[in-house]
Amino acid sequence: MPNRSLWTLLALTLYIPSLAGSAALSERLWLTDSEWNERRAKILKSELVDLVEAAQTEAARAFKVRKVESLEDRRAFVRRLETLTVSVAFNDSRAQAEEAAAISLELLRYETSDLGKASIALNVVVAYAFTRHLLKPATRQRLASAIRDYGLSFATIGKGNPDNPFNNWWGVTRSAAGLCLLATLPSFPEVEAPLRNERERVASYLLNYGDGGHYYEGTGYGIYAFSQWGPFALACRASLGVDIAENAPGIQKMGVNVHSLTVPGPQVEGDERLRLGRRVFWNDDGSNFPSPSIASLYFPFSNALDQIALLGSYNRIGGNAGDRTYLEIDDSHGHALWTLLYYPLGAEPPNYGEGLNRNLFDHKNGLAVFRDRFQDKNDSVFAVYAKSFHGGGHEQQDAGSFRFLSLGTSWAHAGGQAKPQAHYQNVLLKNGIQYDRTNRYQARAGKVSYYAPTENGGSISVDLGAVYGTARVRRHFAIRYAPTPGLRAVIGIWDEIIEKSEEQNEWSWSMCFQQSLQLDTGSGRFTLTDPTSGATLSGWFSEQHEIESHEGPPSSRTFSSGFQRDYPGARYLTAHSPESSKGFFTVLVLHEGEQPKLVFQGDGKERRAIINDEVTLSIDQSKWYLGPLRIQLSDSAQPIAALSGPTQAEIANMPRD
């Protein structure tokens, strides 16, 4: 970690300004002509020229402009429009600009869902902004009218365009409408009033992102919505001098959040979705990292210091230190121009993870992340989600859930998309579920009651009484990375359950895990072994709970575009609590060699687990100032040296000069 003054100087060198305060709406919505000419000259002298050449090569191939009649046609036309836009931005070809206009007009005529329309709107507006100065006057006027009408058409509220500021669809469709109106404002001043309404609507939607950058419908849906509202917000900054994100503090931390949750790839050879890395996730989501073009949009929204840290991580995941995906044109809701406009040029990226905290906490949503390091695909991420806020939309029963990713394996996973049931979420089950789905959202929120990050892990407690409708349901978690040689991580989980005497509920403990793991169970214990690496996660319960193995059925989802995606089934285990003892004290140890020796001692609130006579996990509710569940090393233990990267406390205490 460089000293603070050098780090700040580098930040000022790399910082991407908001570009706010333009005197008039520029031809190119995201920057003025002079800014674009300067940026274009830098791109042509940088490695990003490979991305330009890839687009120009593809744009030079023959393409027949015809009527768009299917989803496949739409995808092909959108892809062609993107490559033409990049090509024209650098070669000023009037012929390609006219072709882009013809494709745009055909796309705008295509009948599709509101979300499909939003995708079309974004790509058409980007093309219009970078080609309209080359169009024939008649073509330009016809296209401007069509774009204006397209933007106004989003005023019709419906299933795919709900009147709901908590839903990602709102962020997507309102941004699409706003972009159309902003692009055509110079030609049609009368759209100023509806444009102002769209700015206000999107600004309200941005409040859904927590102060730590977490999005409650699932990080993936947050990324999807961001791929639409991000460009709109940046265009408003550059062309209008208006920052619609100024009242949403979590927006600055989106990039840090996503990068902190991601372990770089390739995670699984041959799995294109995990090519860039594997990400820990919650709610209706998947584990892949966003395309580099979308990830490039995080730079202008982040503060100066975070931009440097993100540059190092971006470079490792998809840049020159990774697989160089940022120089490819992708089809994942992104646009190559975002990389060309916002990737920080002219600076050497710092080391991977430098400047990123190993501990991350989102207060609004109750998300705590404990990471061991930033190094390679074997990095470890343990995280707990209280689900302190949920406004609606996509929802899974994951309040009080945990996730554990290490050595390229999802040991404590989640069911993923179209699998909302509690048994896929690593939570406690009350009579087989987490809550009655007829309850309202406010009854499904957990509360963080204790949080203490440490140099090599940390602890967190979550109060879930309201979620289960039970007098006391508390989950206490503690993790210690690499406490002694041979132990990759030690995790303790203490689940307190106190009910009224007349209640007769059945409680169980669940954990979902990666399909490829080999499971072995016994009385009060289990092991999960990775056949590829040989690493094992050993789990023990302080009582002889009955453990069962399950495999859920596959699921599928048909998106609003008409595209159907199938998802494989998920494996999970459950441990059942006997009537005499409602609650669980669980120890998980990740190791790469011989299974460690574990002994439970004591009872009640004085229980403890001792691993190899060196590591002790202890419970003592009377000492909350020390943490209700904590991990300590014996005097004879030989702890591993401190892991790489600064902690939150270390960064806060750095000199400010």
Side-chain angles (χ1 to χ4, degrees):
M1 181 78 180
N3 65 51
R4 188 70 177 189
S5 58
L6 291 178
W7 192 249
T8 303
L9 180 61
L10 181 57
L12 293 175
T13 302
L14 285 184
Y15 184 60
I16 302 171
S18 66
L19 304 177
S22 299
L25 196 68
S26 63
E27 283 282 312
R28 298 173 179 85
L29 295 178
W30 291 273
L31 67 183
T32 65
D33 289 345
S34 61
E35 288 165 343
W36 170 238
N37 291 333
E38 181 180 351
R39 179 73 180 181
R40 180 165 64 174
K42 290 181 179 179
I43 290 170
L44 295 175
K45 296 178 181 178
S46 74
E47 70 272 19
L48 293 185
V49 71
D50 291 350
L51 179 56
V52 176
E53 292 175 353
Q56 290 180 331
T57 298
E58 188 169 332
R61 299 179 186 140
F63 186 89
K64 183 178 180 180
V65 180
R66 50 186 168 74
K67 184 179 180 181
V68 180
E69 297 180 325
S70 67
L71 177 60
E72 289 71 25
D73 286 346
R74 192 192 92 184
R75 289 175 174 168
F77 273 55
V78 167
R79 172 75 179 226
R80 177 69 173 184
L81 188 59
E82 178 182 358
T83 56
L84 284 171
T85 301
V86 175
S87 182
V88 172
F90 287 87
N91 66 13
D92 293 321
S93 168
R94 294 185 180 276
Q96 287 189 341
E98 288 289 333
E99 182 187 346
I103 288 175
S104 295
L105 288 168
E106 287 303 320
L107 284 169
L108 294 174
R109 295 188 188 104
Y110 177 62
E111 294 289 334
T112 184
S113 66
D114 289 294
L115 295 181
K117 285 175 56 180
S119 174
I120 289 173
L122 174 63
N123 284 276
V124 167
V125 168
V126 176
Y128 180 66
F130 278 82
T131 64
R132 58 180 162 185
H133 62 290
L134 299 169
L135 297 176
K136 298 174 183 176
T139 302
R140 175 169 175 162
Q141 183 63 28
R142 185 153 49 101
L143 183 54
S145 297
I147 293 174
R148 175 203 58 189
D149 294 343
Y150 208 66
L152 293 173
S153 72
F154 285 99
T156 302
I157 300 300
K159 179 180 178 181
N161 185 21
D163 185 18
N164 181 359
F166 296 103
N167 192 301
N168 72 89
W169 289 7
W170 169 288
V172 170
T173 59
R174 299 333 323 160
S175 297
L179 269 175
C180 290
L181 301 178
L182 180 60
T184 56
L185 179 60
S187 300
F188 305 101
E190 65 271 17
V191 303
E192 182 177 0
L195 171 59
R196 184 166 54 251
N197 290 337
E198 301 300 2
R199 295 203 319 259
E200 292 174 355
R201 290 165 178 159
V202 177
S204 297
Y205 171 74
L206 300 188
L207 301 177
N208 290 306
Y209 291 77
D211 55 288
H214 180 67
Y215 182 69
Y216 73 86
E217 281 191 273
T219 303
Y221 277 101
I223 292 170
Y224 168 50
F226 172 59
S227 70
Q228 290 280 343
W229 67 253
F232 178 50
L234 291 172
C236 287
R237 282 187 187 181
S239 292
L240 303 177
V242 174
D243 184 2
I244 62 176
E246 64 179 346
N247 295 318
I251 299 307
Q252 277 201 2
K253 290 297 180 181
M254 290 183 306
V256 169
N257 180 284
V258 172
H259 280 266
S260 294
L261 295 174
T262 301
V263 170
Q267 282 293 313
V268 178
E269 299 293 341
D271 190 335
E272 187 65 22
R273 291 173 300 171
L274 300 180
R275 173 182 176 184
L276 296 174
R278 190 193 298 267
R279 176 173 52 79
V280 172
F281 66 91
W282 291 264
N283 210 328
D284 210 358
D285 198 356
S287 57
N288 54 305
F289 186 76
S291 69
S293 58
I294 294 177
S296 294
L297 289 171
Y298 290 133
F299 291 116
F301 285 102
S302 302
N303 64 44
L305 292 177
D306 285 344
Q307 280 184 21
I308 306 169
L310 294 184
L311 178 60
S313 185
Y314 181 105
N315 191 54
R316 171 62 184 83
I317 292 174
N320 285 332
D323 69 354
R324 297 172 62 86
T325 315
Y326 77 137
L327 300 180
E328 301 174 6
I329 298 175
D330 63 75
D331 297 308
S332 302
H333 300 300
H335 199 293
L337 266 176
W338 308 143
T339 305
L340 295 171
L341 289 180
Y342 298 113
Y343 176 80
L345 289 172
E348 188 69 25
N351 294 330
Y352 175 49
E354 195 167 1
L356 291 175
N357 297 334
R358 295 201 309 275
N359 300 319
L360 182 149
F361 189 56
D362 188 304
H363 299 75
K364 178 176 181 176
N365 292 291
L367 171 65
V369 179
F370 307 93
R371 185 164 178 152
D372 68 337
R373 66 185 192 185
F374 290 88
Q375 184 172 312
D376 54 34
K377 66 179 183 179
N378 292 323
D379 294 353
S380 302
V381 180
F382 178 75
V384 174
Y385 184 41
K387 193 179 181 180
S388 301
F389 169 77
H390 196 286
H394 291 270
E395 183 193 20
Q396 297 196 355
Q397 299 180 52
D398 52 9
S401 60
F402 67 96
R403 307 284 186 260
F404 183 43
L405 168 63
S406 182
L407 301 174
T409 297
S410 291
W411 304 95
H413 199 39
Q417 291 193 316
K419 294 185 180 65
Q421 295 84 358
H423 48 257
Y424 296 121
Q425 310 304 327
N426 313 326
V427 298
L428 294 176
L429 306 177
K430 178 182 178 181
N431 301 321
I433 62 175
Q434 187 175 58
Y435 52 71
D436 183 348
R437 291 186 65 81
T438 61
N439 290 347
R440 300 307 303 162
Y441 292 115
Q442 57 266 30
R444 307 174 190 176
K447 298 183 294 184
V448 175
S449 55
Y450 188 89
Y451 171 65
T454 65
E455 185 179 23
N456 291 301
S459 58
I460 180 173
S461 296
V462 181
D463 188 324
L464 299 162
V467 174
Y468 293 93
T470 298
R472 175 177 292 184
V473 181
R474 291 176 178 169
R475 304 201 82 182
H476 309 284
F477 301 87
I479 182 168
R480 171 79 186 230
Y481 287 115
T484 60
L487 303 185
R488 185 81 180 190
V490 172
I491 300 168
I493 307 173
W494 174 34
D495 295 309
E496 287 186 274
I497 303 172
I498 299 178
E499 299 183 296
K500 296 178 180 178
S501 58
E502 65 271 18
E503 291 191 78
Q504 299 294 323
N505 296 302
E506 294 182 0
W507 291 85
S508 52
W509 187 99
S510 72
M511 191 175 85
C512 189
F513 53 90
Q514 189 171 306
Q515 277 273 10
S516 60
L517 295 177
Q518 297 174 350
L519 172 66
D520 178 61
T521 63
S523 180
R525 60 109 188 142
F526 66 89
T527 59
L528 290 168
T529 302
D530 184 351
T532 302
S533 67
T536 298
L537 181 72
S538 294
W540 296 267
F541 296 93
S542 62
E543 299 186 46
Q544 301 304 302
H545 300 297
E546 176 189 355
I547 300 174
E548 296 180 352
S549 173
H550 310 268
E551 182 159 0
S555 60
S556 66
R557 167 169 293 153
T558 301
F559 292 87
S560 58
S561 63
F563 175 72
Q564 178 176 312
R565 173 166 289 172
D566 298 320
Y567 305 103
R571 299 177 66 198
Y572 62 97
L573 61 87
T574 54
H576 301 279
S577 177
E579 291 183 8
S580 59
S581 174
K582 294 181 177 178
F584 302 86
F585 180 29
T586 315
V587 177
L588 306 175
V589 179
L590 181 62
H591 53 95
E592 299 177 83
E594 183 180 351
Q595 186 179 59
K597 176 185 175 183
L598 182 139
V599 177
F600 287 104
Q601 296 178 347
D603 56 20
K605 296 176 182 177
E606 299 297 330
R607 280 175 294 182
R608 56 189 176 275
I610 302 175
I611 304 170
N612 291 340
D613 296 323
E614 294 183 321
V615 183
T616 300
L617 293 85
S618 58
I619 295 172
D620 191 343
Q621 191 183 18
S622 66
K623 296 180 179 178
W624 274 80
Y625 61 91
L626 291 177
L629 176 65
R630 53 192 180 277
I631 300 176
Q632 297 170 305
L633 303 184
S634 67
D635 293 339
S636 61
Q638 298 179 350
I640 305 297
L643 299 168
S644 61
T647 64
Q648 225 165 5
E650 289 170 342
I651 289 180
N653 292 327
M654 287 178 181
R656 300 288 177 174
D657 59 342

